[in-house]
Amino acid sequence: MARDSTRPTSRDVAQAAGVSQAAVSLVLGDKWRGRVSEPTAQRVRDAASELGYRPNLAARNLRLGRTRTVLLVVPALTTEFFAEVYTGAARVAAEHGFGVVLYPSPEGVGPARDPFASAQAALDGVIASSMAADALSAIRGDQLPLVMLDSDPEGSLGAATVNLDIADGIRQVAEHLLALGHRSFLHLAADIPSWTFEVRARELATRLTGVPGTELRTIRAPISIEGALRATEAALAAPGPRPTALVCDDDKLAAGAYKAIRRAGLRVPDDLSVTGLDDLGLATAIDPELTTVRLDAEAFGERGMRALLAVLEGRPPEKGDLPVSLVVRGSTAPPP
């Protein structure tokens, strides 16, 4: 067989870069820092790229006794948020020769079946959303190297926890609405027992009760347009003064609330300002476009995968919550 039709080897990369095979192994295994200079590492990466070299993962895994496979457990794929988390995690994983298997908990929240004959035998680690934490015992994910997303860092099951700064997002929402003059609030809360939603409720109450003359009422709904529609309809039909601002835990809840507000003969934002959280594609598909908190889901997935790599290598993961930002659009205005 002709030389140029064979698969390039690490020896070919070493010759092209003018280094030893050991140096190639260190660089492509991302273990070169402190042992190989940055210019040399770049030369190896360039040579590998030009030759189209790919490490023989099967042989490497046999030596290491590892599958280089990670399980990402999410509550469901009903929004693009967790699809973007997967995209970010898979991007970082691919850079380190890992694959990511996406496993949505079948019922959204609650127990799940082991997707493998034995997850422990087939996986190197698990990244899991706190909303899908109940699935971990079934797949024995809590006995593998584990990184929790959106989870209480004080009581996390995982070796590391990665969070978005949801509390700051709610602070930004509250400050925006208070600055517009709102004092009567309705919180459309997700009816899910999860730390991330507890943070939203607690932070909103803290921000509003600190301002004299504010009122806050809470209603709960499953994260669905129909559930939000029914809950908001009931709240608007209840006796007493109507709220002027509706704070929703999720953009999908906000979309359901829009329908209820229109059915009640009211307008957004003339009669009722509405805010969401996520900045899904849905936020700009509804009219008026939704004021919401933008969460960088891909960066969230990237940080989660980097944290798991750190756990696997015995390094401390990166600290600090990922920042979030309020995007002000047409659904908020001063109260009537």
Side-chain angles (χ1 to χ4, degrees):
M1 186 178 291
R3 166 77 181 172
D4 60 4
S5 66
T6 60
R7 177 175 173 161
T9 67
S10 61
R11 180 178 296 174
D12 297 327
V13 176
Q15 287 177 346
V19 300
S20 68
Q21 278 183 267
V24 171
S25 179
L26 286 171
V27 173
L28 300 184
D30 201 30
K31 296 177 181 176
W32 59 272
R33 291 170 183 81
R35 302 162 83 176
V36 175
S37 71
E38 171 61 46
T40 299
Q42 189 58 51
R43 210 161 64 242
V44 170
R45 287 191 291 265
D46 291 344
S49 176
E50 288 170 14
L51 291 170
Y53 173 74
R54 294 290 180 273
N56 186 339
L57 291 183
R60 181 194 293 176
N61 295 343
L62 194 60
R63 291 195 301 273
L64 296 178
R66 291 165 60 180
T67 63
R68 301 187 80 79
T69 302
V70 170
L71 189 69
L72 174 61
V73 185
V74 300
L77 293 179
T78 51
T79 72
E80 70 259 33
F81 180 81
F82 286 107
E84 290 178 10
V85 169
Y86 168 81
T87 299
R91 181 185 301 122
V92 172
E95 290 169 1
H96 293 82
F98 278 76
V100 178
V101 176
L102 182 62
Y103 186 56
S105 183
E107 302 304 321
V109 176
R113 291 176 294 100
D114 187 339
F116 304 95
S118 169
Q120 284 180 289
L123 299 168
D124 284 329
V126 177
I127 304 170
S129 158
S130 65
M131 289 173 64
D134 288 345
L136 292 174
S137 57
I139 64 171
R140 303 181 71 80
D142 51 350
Q143 296 178 33
L144 284 160
L146 172 65
V147 168
M148 293 299 298
L149 305 179
D150 242 0
S151 181
D152 183 355
E154 300 302 317
S156 175
L157 297 167
T161 305
V162 175
N163 284 321
L164 294 151
D165 197 347
I166 295 294
D168 184 57
I170 295 298
R171 281 194 290 273
Q172 292 179 53
V173 167
E175 287 169 6
H176 170 66
L177 292 171
L178 287 167
L180 288 172
H182 292 278
R183 294 298 181 268
S184 180
F185 294 83
L186 180 65
H187 179 202
L188 181 51
D191 190 14
I192 296 174
S194 172
W195 175 83
T196 186
F197 295 118
E198 291 169 7
V199 167
R200 296 167 209 216
R202 185 168 62 245
E203 192 62 32
L204 184 63
T206 299
R207 291 288 142 186
L208 298 185
T209 55
V211 178
T214 57
E215 296 178 0
L216 173 63
R217 189 155 60 96
T218 300
I219 56 174
R220 299 188 178 279
I223 299 182
S224 70
I225 290 176
E226 189 60 34
L229 167 63
R230 288 195 302 267
T232 307
E233 278 184 328
L236 294 177
R242 190 175 68 231
T244 63
L246 176 58
V247 178
C248 302
D249 271 356
D250 179 274
D251 290 354
K252 189 177 281 190
L253 292 175
Y258 266 45
K259 294 181 75 171
I261 291 165
R262 288 207 171 99
R263 288 186 186 183
L266 304 172
R267 292 176 300 170
V268 178
D270 306 66
D271 301 301
L272 193 61
S273 287
V274 180
T275 64
L277 199 147
D278 272 348
D279 199 24
L280 305 174
L282 182 64
T284 53
I286 55 180
D287 187 34
E289 294 187 356
L290 182 65
T291 294
T292 187
V293 177
R294 177 173 295 157
L295 310 180
D296 191 336
E298 285 195 25
F300 195 31
E302 289 177 356
R303 175 78 72 86
M305 187 63 213
R306 284 201 298 269
L308 183 57
L309 289 168
V311 169
L312 291 172
E313 294 171 8
R315 295 183 285 106
E318 192 176 345
K319 293 189 179 298
D321 294 345
L322 277 81
V324 303
S325 58
L326 180 69
V327 182
V328 177
R329 299 191 179 104
S331 68
T332 50

